[in-house]
Amino acid sequence: MSYYHYTSLEALNGILQRNEVGEKKLCFWATRYDCFKDKEEYLFGIDCLRECLLNLEKQGNLQEDRKIAAFFKHELIVENMNLPFPYVISITSRNDNAYMWENYANHNNGVVLELALPQVNTEFKDYALYRLEKCIYVDSAKEQKIQDFINLYYTNTGLRLLKDGGKDAFDLLSKRPQAFVVFMAMFMLAFAAPALKRKKFCKEEETRIILSVPVPRYADFIYNNIPLIQDLCHAFHSNLDAKNIANTIMQEKSRLRDDNTVCYYREFPLPEKSLSQVLVLNNESKLKAENILKQKGFDNVKVKIQKLPQKDKSILLQK
């Protein structure tokens, strides 16, 4: 499936890169959740998860050692360096969203990158562990659609762990159910919580590339417990390597924003073939984009002038 990333021409110039052996690649920046401009966003997701899980556990009359809602408290999560931190890149399934062109593509003078992305990558090789999650827009956890989302996510998370882990996962569930549900809670914290946004942002129609990686300090634990981590990887029939996991964790970077705040991020590389085409709204942007692509060695990628739906075009003309 194709997804779209709205950005500026300047950012396009930075995204198109070559690696150390000269191979062309795309390089995006995934922002750490506590560096979002909306500081309350991730906490909102945690609160929604907790309330919906409490409802699920009550309705399902779950045993105490099967419950996970209690894990979703701010004081247990914020600043906890033992938990995975979500890092996020914004994409969308629409290339003709006038709101996004205006607000995220340099006031209609930027570009939209059409990307071919698989739903999930679970191997720590050239690319980080990630999932694609379509954002759910709500004002509170009381809305039925978010309860339905969490119920399904809870079920699918448990089934995924059992499927990937095979007999070892079933043994863990039967002998140490609390340990099994901790894995479920960490997975939902990493990937479900960042997908929940307030309804006022619904015009973005956002899908998120969510990377789940602990902060660099956690790498020390990995290095000191490589046999244990490797056993866990084998138990869940994963090809992940403990040393590669630790090396990936160490790759967090930082930059100073215009307002002098520090933003932590991770580079997210994708192969050259991920870029299908580049979209623009006018001839001037087309020429500039083509020039950047040629300079970067991506001259096989086509630049197309995008036509917006009539209703969205009228919105632009009013500006």
Side-chain angles (χ1 to χ4, degrees):
M1 179 175 176
S2 292
Y3 292 91
Y4 303 92
H5 180 68
Y6 290 73
T7 192
S8 65
L9 284 159
E10 180 183 13
L12 172 65
N13 191 52
I15 289 170
L16 304 179
Q17 296 185 8
R18 291 181 183 270
N19 63 19
E20 55 276 1
V21 296
E23 296 173 336
K24 288 175 284 187
K25 66 175 182 177
L26 311 180
C27 187
F28 295 90
W29 288 357
T31 303
R32 203 170 82 184
Y33 84 90
D34 53 348
C35 298
F36 292 170
K37 291 183 179 179
D38 181 359
K39 298 296 183 183
E40 299 300 314
E41 181 178 301
Y42 188 58
L43 298 180
F44 173 71
I46 292 169
D47 290 340
C48 287
L49 274 173
R50 176 176 168 77
E51 189 168 337
C52 290
L53 286 168
L54 283 170
N55 292 337
L56 183 152
E57 291 167 357
K58 182 178 180 180
Q59 292 170 7
N61 196 25
L62 298 186
Q63 300 176 37
E64 287 300 318
D65 60 3
R66 263 71 168 177
K67 295 180 179 180
I68 60 175
F71 294 119
F72 292 90
K73 296 178 180 178
H74 295 181
E75 60 270 24
L76 298 178
I77 295 172
V78 178
E79 305 295 335
N80 188 337
M81 299 305 156
N82 296 320
L83 294 175
F85 274 45
Y87 297 75
V88 170
I89 301 167
S90 295
I91 55 176
T92 178
S93 59
R94 278 188 62 190
N95 59 22
D96 58 356
N97 184 323
Y99 177 85
M100 294 293 286
W101 274 107
E102 170 66 25
N103 291 278
Y104 292 93
N106 192 27
H107 307 290
N108 311 308
N109 294 308
V111 295
V112 169
L113 309 185
E114 182 176 322
L115 304 171
L117 290 171
Q119 180 68 28
V120 62
N121 178 20
T122 56
E123 301 302 323
F124 275 93
K125 292 183 179 178
D126 295 330
Y127 315 113
L129 173 68
Y130 75 82
R131 286 183 61 83
L132 300 184
E133 296 289 352
K134 186 176 181 179
C135 289
I136 304 294
Y137 297 96
V138 293
D139 284 328
S140 76
K142 298 185 184 303
E143 295 185 36
Q144 187 59 43
K145 70 175 180 179
I146 193 172
Q147 186 67 59
D148 294 341
F149 170 77
I150 297 301
N151 290 354
L152 182 60
Y153 213 102
Y154 176 90
T155 301
N156 288 343
T157 299
L159 291 174
R160 175 193 171 99
L161 290 174
L162 290 171
K163 179 181 177 182
D164 292 348
K167 181 179 181 300
D168 293 318
F170 278 98
D171 287 345
L172 184 65
L173 177 59
S174 61
K175 297 175 182 178
R176 298 181 59 200
Q178 192 66 52
F180 183 88
V181 297
V182 166
F183 279 111
M184 290 182 61
M186 290 180 68
F187 189 89
M188 295 186 72
L189 175 66
F191 297 112
L196 305 177
K197 298 189 69 173
R198 295 188 187 277
K199 198 174 289 183
K200 65 181 180 181
F201 298 107
C202 65
K203 289 182 179 179
E204 297 173 355
E205 300 178 295
E206 184 182 5
T207 294
R208 289 183 157 179
I209 304 174
I210 303 174
L211 285 65
S212 174
V213 192
V215 293
R217 277 172 280 177
Y218 192 70
D220 292 337
F221 172 81
I222 303 290
Y223 284 125
N224 293 331
N225 295 275
I226 285 178
L228 171 62
I229 302 300
Q230 205 63 63
D231 287 345
L232 285 172
C233 291
H234 290 157
F236 284 92
H237 301 281
S238 170
N239 293 325
L240 300 181
D241 178 83
K243 290 183 179 179
N244 287 346
I245 293 173
N247 290 339
T248 299
I249 290 172
M250 291 296 294
Q251 298 307 309
E252 184 183 72
K253 298 187 176 183
S254 64
R255 61 185 177 89
L256 196 63
R257 284 175 166 153
D258 293 339
D259 60 1
N260 288 323
T261 60
V262 177
C263 176
Y264 294 96
Y265 69 95
R266 291 183 180 276
E267 291 185 343
F268 179 70
L270 287 172
E272 176 189 5
K273 64 181 181 181
S274 299
L275 181 58
S276 302
Q277 65 176 337
V278 175
L279 304 174
V280 297
L281 288 183
N282 54 67
N283 282 312
E284 183 178 356
S285 297
K286 183 175 186 291
L287 291 173
K288 290 179 179 179
E290 288 174 338
N291 187 47
I292 292 171
L293 290 163
K294 185 176 181 180
Q295 289 177 355
K296 295 286 187 170
F298 286 76
D299 40 338
N300 61 310
V301 177
K302 302 299 181 184
V303 181
K304 176 184 175 183
I305 295 181
Q306 171 71 10
K307 294 182 179 180
L308 297 181
Q310 193 62 41
K311 63 176 183 177
D312 288 342
K313 193 182 298 182
S314 64
I315 293 173
L316 292 181
L317 292 173
Q318 293 171 14
K319 292 186 177 293

